[in-house]
Amino acid sequence: GGALAESDWIRQAAELLLSVVDATTSVSVLPSDARKLPCLVFDGDAMEDGEGNTLYEALRTWFAQTDTLRDVANFVSPLRRLLYHDARLASLLWVSMMPSAWRLVPQGAQRAGVHKAINDLLVREYHYHPKAKRSVQSLLKGLLAIQRTEFEQGSNIQDCPFLPPPMLLYLARGWNCWLIVLEILLLQMKQLPNDTPARERDEYYDALGEVYNALGERDLASGLWMERVHSKDSKLSIVLEQRNLFQEAQDVYFDLMSEARSEKVSGCENWEVAFWEQRWIECAKQLSQWDVLAEFARSVVCSELLHDSLWRIPEWSALKELLAKHPIEDGPQLKLYQSYIHLQEMKVENCDALVKQGIERALDQWSHLPVQVSQNAAIPLLIQFQQLVEMQESCKMVTDLRTVLTAHPGSGVTAEKEIESIRQTLISWRERPANDWDEPIHWAKVVRWRNHMSTALVNSLQVCKDDTVREMTKGLVVMAVNEAARNVNSFGRACRKQGMLDSSVEAAQKMYTFTTMDVNEFFTKTKELAKCYLSRGRCIENPLQAGLNQINSCNVENFNPRQRAKLLTLKGNFYRAMGYFDDAHQAYSRALALSGDCASSWLAWAQHCDRVHAENNGEAAWAEAAANCYFMAVRFGSRKARMYLARVLRLLSVDAYVRRKQQLQSQRESSPPGAGAQGEALTGTSPGATSSQQTGSGPQGKGVVGVFDSFVDLVPSWVWLPWVQQLVAMLSRVEATRARAILVRLVQHYPQAVFFHIRAFLEERRPLDRPSRNHMMEALQTPRPNVNPFLPTVTAQISTQTTQSQLTGAMGQLQKAKVRLQQATMNHKEVQSNISRLTPNTPNYAQLKEQAEKVVSHIQHAQREVRDWEERVTIIQRRHAAASHAAQTQRQHQSGGPGSSALDGGRPLHSPPVDPREDPKGLASAIQAQKLQAKSQFEQGDIVMAWLIRANQSVYVELERMAMELSSKMKPPPEEQLLGLMNALLHQCYRLAPQA
């Protein structure tokens, strides 16, 4: 056993299997047969030792021989020697040979004996040696290969070496065989006979559940329980847990346990009751109900749960007593508990040693995780690592705090140094906040310990009787209080983002223990609580009224106008949720009166107006107000409001259609009798032919159309990029002119995002509209100037940018020189005033005179420096003015001359595109494109494509070439087209009636 423990014994086992091979025979082998052996991947070039490379080369030569018959000895001999040079090869060879070797064992007693020998081998003590880890994994892989081979061949695998589930779970934990054990358990469960006892099946279910939980696969574990449980309420509670509705799931589990204890549920098994209790505890942990869990743990005598509850409450004396009587498993969690106790007792030296031991045990657990595993399995250990790191930092803080409290008033420098160290630690904690996607049950551990440390720090500094120390640490106390509030608020926000409203309210109300709070943090807390109430958390009766009362009772005198506006917005949201629309309208109006650039207030008002518009049967005034507020929210940078631009487009479509319908109706009423047909002919044009004047006026006033015309130029064009498909589809409707204006701006900025949509639209509408005029072809056929203006334009731009950077640098140096001159002048005045108060007989009089002369020389030097930089600035300003004039002249020359047309506004299409974000003519060109008349839907898209050519002619050429190449290469051959046509005709025949 000792000799095997010091080596990877799977090599000797594989060699024993190879020794059974008859090496005196010859076999028929082809060179391609080497690919059929997965264990022989000839990567000998990567080996370090020369002998291993030589053996790999011998195997290559054996497979590359031209003779069909080859000696087995020339293959087996180098392979047996190679096992001791390549551990990977030994493991793969063992796994490959195990199924064949098993089939050679006679069925019956001999197979049972081998099975028992394998079970005894796996539980040997010498396998605890680190070098035996690979051997145990290889042995399990070989057993899995045997079972998989027998299962694929349809054989009865009851004679295969089955391992009991508890033993498999033991091997998975001790030797990092999680994935191998998982496959073995699943395969063995499939082969269980129907008459298998329920107790044996429960062992498989329990082992699978443990493996899934260890790997962090909670969804698979939930699916396993869904398959196992019998009660419908149990399945319902599992689904509620998966949706993070822990409070509802906990209530269901509690009702089930109550019915089971009162014997109202018949046929309930013990394992299902244990499952209800386990999941109830897990829901309570998710909801941070640690007081309840502590009482429950005391009642059922569950020491592990009681350990986890006591340090969070906290009850340090009870935790210390419990650790002495009922310690948990010696792991990183035990070291953390012991560190908590020692740190509370100010035993920093013991705490450091415990933290190091905890890190060692955490690293050992990390090494037992499989390499290929989801991040959910690693998250608990990563949180433990962070707890251990912050425990080290806490020990350093306690040491520094002890130094500060014991510092003598005369040693202020040392105290300042220690205070700065504590401040830096708090800042580092601030830079490690909770993310919105982090699980609150894990992150709550870090937040609670930080709160414990903040409380201990503040209490220690406040009880200090030394006035000097208290004055020095006043800022540190304020910082500790603010950091505690920030940690709690960030944790509550993460809980709210994940839908755990009750946990968020619990954190805001109970986790913060101080009586004062920073104004900004108090505003954040009030806002988070209000949002939880607005989402109707279950822990509060009548949450809407409770949230409204909280906002009304909040003292807003210390808040700035923007914070007051946000609170008024939340107040309006409560009124809107309660159905008080008039009060909500007034609240939003007051909020924007306080802060007109608050995007969230504009968005909330827009949603309010939109809801009133829907409930008032589409009243146009509310639609106009909603569109106006949506645009204002987008204009002030609301990311959420940009997702409502699709709603703005919908309101625009409805408003334009209603106005068009009313206009046609008024034309029919005002036309003389007999002119109806002519009126229909005049107004029966395509919807795309509607001009801005046709839909921009009407009996309803400005409307959504007018709001759209007012704001479309004020919002950035890139906000429309997600809605390009909707804008292209709008070219076929009444509001086509507005959509075309946006698309014209987009093609100047982002031609690639619009080109393919417009091209597909034109290909679809061309055979239907049969246009008489093609703006795109006119733009392409417009004469071009022979002179390429690209180089002078770029040169002028580079010259302007260079002189601008030089001017900025020179102005900065001039400002610094003026500051130095001002300082020297002030020093001179101070020295002169000191000299005036002294007499020539004063001992320091000569030194002051010498210092005054040095100051005068500094002033003269500074004056010369200021004059030099002023001259340089003047020269650079002249150069910059000349470069700017040259660039402006080049742009004017570029915008005129031959080759211009009415379509492109006088700019040659061969000239380089100017970014409309920098060119003031970009917006003017979009307005000019909006004024063009289109007689059909095709012409609407044609104008957009023509403007794309005008602004980005080279990009258009490349995109068109790409589209043509794709259409030619992806076009189906004529045979497939004919087959598709025949299938379409056949389906059409099937749809006809039999008599037809």
Side-chain angles (χ1 to χ4, degrees):
L4 288 176
E6 297 178 359
S7 63
D8 190 4
W9 59 262
I10 203 67
R11 300 177 179 180
Q12 288 84 355
E15 186 182 8
L16 285 176
L17 288 180
L18 285 177
S19 63
V20 183
V21 178
D22 187 4
T24 61
T25 60
S26 300
V27 293
S28 178
V29 180
L30 296 176
S32 59
D33 291 339
R35 303 174 185 175
K36 300 178 182 179
L37 298 175
C39 59
L40 294 179
V41 180
F42 296 119
D43 54 354
D45 296 336
M47 296 189 65
E48 297 180 357
D49 57 338
E51 186 178 357
N53 291 330
T54 304
L55 294 174
Y56 265 115
E57 188 63 30
L59 292 177
R60 288 194 189 95
T61 305
W62 190 81
F63 275 104
Q65 291 178 6
T66 57
D67 298 336
T68 305
L69 292 177
R70 304 171 195 178
D71 295 334
V72 177
N74 294 334
F75 173 74
V76 175
S77 178
L79 188 58
R80 292 176 62 179
R81 295 166 56 191
L82 191 59
L83 293 176
Y84 296 93
H85 294 274
D86 193 347
R88 180 196 60 84
L89 174 63
S91 176
L92 291 176
L93 187 61
W94 169 265
V95 175
S96 301
M97 292 189 300
M98 276 295 288
S100 301
W102 179 259
R103 284 194 294 269
L104 296 177
V105 180
Q107 296 184 0
Q110 293 189 13
R111 286 198 174 186
V114 174
H115 183 192
K116 184 178 182 303
I118 292 176
N119 289 349
D120 294 340
L121 177 62
L122 285 171
V123 295
R124 292 292 183 182
E125 294 183 359
Y126 50 75
H127 285 156
Y128 286 107
H129 196 278
K131 292 185 178 180
K133 177 180 177 181
R134 185 190 295 270
S135 300
V136 175
Q137 292 178 350
S138 302
L139 186 57
L140 286 177
K141 288 180 181 179
L143 297 179
L144 176 60
I146 294 174
Q147 296 181 5
R148 187 181 295 160
T149 303
E150 297 293 332
F151 178 74
E152 291 175 354
Q153 294 179 357
S155 304
N156 183 13
I157 68 170
Q158 292 300 320
D159 294 333
C160 294
F162 266 50
L163 300 179
M167 180 179 178
L168 287 171
L169 190 59
Y170 166 75
L171 293 173
R173 289 172 176 168
W175 287 270
N176 194 8
C177 307
W178 295 103
L179 300 181
I180 308 171
V181 167
L182 178 61
E183 292 189 50
I184 294 176
L185 285 172
L186 291 174
L187 197 58
Q188 291 185 177
M189 278 191 67
K190 291 180 181 179
Q191 299 303 316
L192 289 178
N194 296 330
D195 57 349
T196 303
R199 183 177 180 180
E200 186 176 348
R201 286 186 178 273
D202 291 342
E203 289 183 352
Y204 278 97
Y205 278 117
D206 294 339
L208 271 177
E210 289 288 340
V211 173
Y212 285 145
N213 290 330
L215 296 178
E217 300 293 344
R218 289 174 299 179
D219 291 336
L220 294 176
S222 299
L224 184 68
W225 280 111
M226 289 284 288
E227 179 184 350
R228 186 180 180 184
V229 297
H230 306 301
S231 173
K232 293 183 179 179
D233 292 335
S234 299
K235 297 181 179 181
L236 173 63
S237 57
I238 293 173
V239 174
L240 291 175
E241 272 194 89
Q242 287 184 295
R243 295 174 61 87
N244 284 350
L245 300 175
F246 297 106
Q247 185 64 54
E248 291 81 354
Q250 188 186 35
D251 294 342
V252 176
Y253 288 130
F254 183 79
D255 295 340
L256 289 172
M257 288 189 297
S258 301
E259 293 176 358
R261 290 174 182 174
S262 61
E263 298 182 355
K264 293 182 180 180
V265 181
S266 60
C268 183
E269 301 183 15
N270 294 332
W271 61 263
E272 192 166 4
V273 177
F275 165 73
W276 295 338
E277 182 177 315
Q278 176 189 358
R279 300 317 303 168
W280 181 86
I281 294 174
E282 190 65 27
C283 291
K285 289 181 179 180
Q286 294 283 356
L287 296 172
S288 300
Q289 299 174 354
W290 298 108
D291 296 331
V292 178
L293 287 174
E295 296 179 3
F296 176 79
R298 287 190 177 100
S299 63
V300 299
V301 192
C302 181
S303 60
E304 184 177 356
L305 180 60
L306 189 57
H307 280 93
D308 202 14
S309 304
L310 288 178
W311 81 270
R312 299 173 192 259
I313 297 178
E315 294 182 7
W316 302 114
S317 58
L319 179 60
K320 181 179 180 181
E321 182 181 356
L322 184 64
L323 283 172
K325 293 182 179 180
H326 304 284
I328 61 174
E329 181 184 356
D330 188 12
Q333 195 63 46
L334 175 61
K335 300 306 175 183
L336 277 173
Y337 292 153
Q338 295 174 349
S339 301
Y340 295 156
I341 298 299
H342 286 290
L343 199 61
Q344 293 295 326
E345 298 175 352
M346 294 296 179
K347 298 178 180 178
V348 182
E349 296 79 8
N350 299 337
C351 184
D352 288 335
L354 289 171
V355 169
K356 292 179 180 179
Q357 295 175 10
I359 293 176
E360 292 178 359
R361 285 158 175 77
L363 289 173
D364 182 66
Q365 291 185 4
W366 182 270
S367 65
H368 284 78
L369 286 178
V371 178
Q372 298 177 351
V373 70
S374 64
Q375 62 178 0
N376 294 330
I379 284 177
L381 269 179
L382 293 175
I383 292 294
Q384 281 190 346
F385 278 123
Q386 181 166 354
Q387 287 182 274
L388 291 168
V389 169
E390 294 196 359
M391 179 58 65
Q392 282 185 326
E393 296 172 344
S394 301
C395 295
K396 181 67 167 57
M397 288 176 60
V398 171
T399 304
D400 296 338
L401 181 62
R402 185 187 300 172
T403 305
V404 172
L405 295 177
T406 58
H408 191 270
S411 59
V413 177
T414 304
E416 285 290 341
K417 181 180 178 181
E418 308 301 332
I419 291 172
E420 181 63 25
S421 176
I422 297 175
R423 184 181 292 109
Q424 291 298 325
T425 302
L426 293 176
I427 291 175
S428 66
W429 285 3
R430 180 198 308 170
E431 295 173 352
R432 296 196 294 261
N435 298 312
D436 293 341
W437 56 85
D438 287 333
E439 293 188 32
I441 188 175
H442 296 313
W443 196 259
K445 302 176 183 178
V446 179
V447 176
R448 286 185 180 274
W449 176 250
R450 290 179 180 179
N451 285 349
H452 294 333
M453 285 303 302
S454 299
T455 304
L457 181 64
V458 173
N459 293 339
S460 300
L461 292 176
Q462 286 181 345
V463 299
C464 181
K465 298 181 180 180
D466 192 340
D467 295 336
T468 305
V469 175
R470 294 185 63 180
E471 185 67 25
M472 292 171 56
T473 59
K474 185 182 297 183
L476 187 60
V477 172
V478 174
M479 183 178 182
V481 173
N482 293 342
E483 291 303 320
R486 184 178 290 107
N487 288 330
V488 173
N489 289 336
S490 62
F491 175 71
R493 182 178 184 274
C495 292
R496 181 181 62 82
K497 287 289 186 179
Q498 298 186 29
M500 302 174 62
L501 305 177
D502 299 338
S503 298
S504 180
V505 174
E506 184 81 10
Q509 293 180 347
K510 295 185 178 181
M511 290 184 67
Y512 186 76
T513 58
F514 300 106
T515 57
T516 60
M517 186 180 291
D518 181 68
V519 175
N520 295 327
E521 296 302 328
F522 179 70
F523 167 75
T524 304
K525 173 186 174 181
T526 305
K527 183 180 67 173
E528 290 298 326
L529 278 175
K531 289 183 177 181
C532 291
Y533 292 145
L534 192 61
S535 301
R536 295 172 175 82
R538 293 190 57 200
C539 61
I540 301 295
E541 293 187 14
N542 195 2
L544 294 179
Q545 188 62 45
L548 186 60
N549 294 338
Q550 182 201 8
I551 294 180
N552 290 331
S553 61
C554 181
N555 185 11
V556 297
E557 293 181 358
N558 296 324
F559 293 157
N560 57 44
R562 191 175 187 85
Q563 292 174 339
R564 296 180 188 178
K566 291 185 177 182
L567 286 183
L568 284 173
T569 302
L570 289 173
K571 187 176 181 180
N573 292 341
F574 279 107
Y575 280 133
R576 185 180 67 189
M578 298 169 68
Y580 304 146
F581 293 139
D582 294 337
D583 295 336
H585 193 76
Q586 293 296 328
Y588 294 138
S589 178
R590 291 172 55 195
L592 290 170
L594 286 173
S595 179
D597 59 345
C598 186
S600 59
S601 301
W602 282 111
L603 178 58
W605 202 0
Q607 293 173 336
H608 167 70
C609 295
D610 205 351
R611 179 177 175 182
V612 176
H613 164 71
E615 294 184 358
N616 290 348
N617 298 324
E619 188 174 343
W622 289 105
E624 177 184 349
N628 184 76
C629 293
Y630 279 133
F631 273 121
M632 291 295 290
V634 173
R635 183 183 178 188
F636 288 119
S638 174
R639 292 180 295 177
K640 188 177 180 181
R642 295 200 291 267
M643 304 307 297
Y644 286 90
L645 286 177
R647 177 60 180 167
V648 176
L649 295 178
R650 173 61 181 169
L651 294 175
L652 173 65
S653 300
V654 174
D655 186 68
Y657 174 77
V658 171
R659 289 172 177 273
R660 179 62 174 167
K661 184 178 179 181
Q662 292 178 354
Q663 185 180 11
L664 293 177
Q665 185 176 358
S666 62
Q667 288 181 0
R668 293 192 189 97
E669 293 176 356
S670 61
S671 60
Q678 184 180 1
E680 290 293 334
L682 291 174
T683 59
T685 58
S686 169
T690 306
S691 64
S692 60
Q693 289 79 9
Q694 286 174 314
T695 58
S697 61
Q700 296 180 359
K702 186 178 180 181
V704 181
V705 174
V707 173
F708 198 87
D709 292 339
S710 302
F711 280 94
V712 71
D713 299 330
L714 298 179
V715 298
S717 59
W718 55 266
V719 302
W720 299 102
L721 285 176
W723 317 109
V724 171
Q725 294 183 351
Q726 287 77 5
L727 291 170
V728 172
M730 291 171 68
L731 295 177
S732 302
R733 298 197 291 269
V734 182
E735 65 277 9
T737 307
R738 273 80 189 177
R740 188 183 69 192
I742 298 176
L743 290 172
V744 166
R745 294 185 64 193
L746 280 176
V747 297
Q748 298 181 30
H749 291 68
Y750 315 98
Q752 298 93 333
V754 186
F755 171 78
F756 292 100
H757 298 285
I758 290 294
R759 191 178 187 276
F761 177 80
L762 294 177
E763 292 294 332
E764 180 183 355
R765 298 303 309 179
R766 192 188 307 272
L768 298 177
D769 296 339
R770 297 182 179 181
S772 59
R773 181 183 178 185
N774 196 326
H775 294 275
M776 184 175 62
M777 295 305 297
E778 291 179 6
L780 289 172
Q781 295 174 1
T782 303
R784 307 286 190 261
N786 295 326
V787 179
N788 186 6
F790 182 75
L791 187 58
T793 306
V794 174
T795 303
Q797 292 178 356
I798 293 176
S799 178
T800 305
Q801 295 174 358
T802 303
T803 53
Q804 178 64 36
S805 62
Q806 293 176 354
L807 180 61
T808 303
M811 292 294 291
Q813 294 295 333
L814 176 60
Q815 187 65 25
K816 293 179 180 179
K818 289 182 178 180
V819 171
R820 288 193 291 269
L821 176 61
Q822 185 178 3
Q823 292 178 352
T825 304
M826 293 176 61
N827 293 336
H828 182 262
K829 291 181 180 179
E830 183 179 357
V831 173
Q832 288 295 334
S833 63
N834 293 334
I835 293 176
S836 63
R837 291 194 296 266
L838 301 177
T839 61
N841 298 328
T842 305
N844 296 333
Y845 186 79
Q847 296 180 357
L848 290 176
K849 290 290 291 182
E850 183 178 357
Q851 184 178 0
E853 293 176 358
K854 291 181 179 179
V855 171
V856 170
S857 63
H858 287 321
I859 292 175
Q860 294 175 354
H861 177 72
Q863 289 175 348
R864 288 194 300 270
E865 191 177 7
V866 169
R867 287 195 298 270
D868 294 341
W869 280 112
E870 285 179 348
E871 294 177 358
R872 293 183 185 180
V873 168
T874 303
I875 295 173
I876 296 175
Q877 284 178 344
R878 293 174 183 174
R879 294 177 182 174
H880 181 65
S884 301
H885 179 70
Q888 183 67 23
T889 304
Q890 184 62 38
R891 285 196 295 268
Q892 292 178 357
H893 174 72
Q894 178 181 335
S895 61
S900 61
S901 62
L903 179 64
D904 58 4
R907 178 173 173 228
L909 292 177
H910 257 322
S911 61
V914 179
D915 193 347
R917 290 171 289 188
E918 300 178 359
D919 183 15
K921 295 184 179 181
L923 183 59
S925 61
I927 297 175
Q928 183 180 359
Q930 187 177 2
K931 294 180 180 179
L932 292 177
Q933 299 291 329
K935 297 181 180 179
S936 64
Q937 301 172 14
F938 176 84
E939 289 192 17
Q940 297 284 5
D942 192 27
I943 293 175
V944 176
M945 186 64 80
W947 236 264
L948 189 149
I949 299 173
R950 169 192 177 275
N952 303 278
Q953 194 257 355
S954 59
V955 176
Y956 166 78
V957 172
E958 291 297 326
L959 291 175
E960 184 65 27
R961 182 188 60 80
M962 186 188 305
M964 293 295 295
E965 187 174 354
L966 288 175
S967 61
S968 62
K969 290 186 177 181
M970 300 182 66
K971 185 177 180 180
E975 295 81 3
E976 292 187 10
Q977 294 182 5
L978 181 59
L979 179 60
L981 178 60
M982 295 300 296
N983 287 331
L985 292 175
L986 186 60
H987 284 291
Q988 186 68 23
C989 293
Y990 289 155
R991 295 174 60 182
L992 295 177
Q995 59 270 20

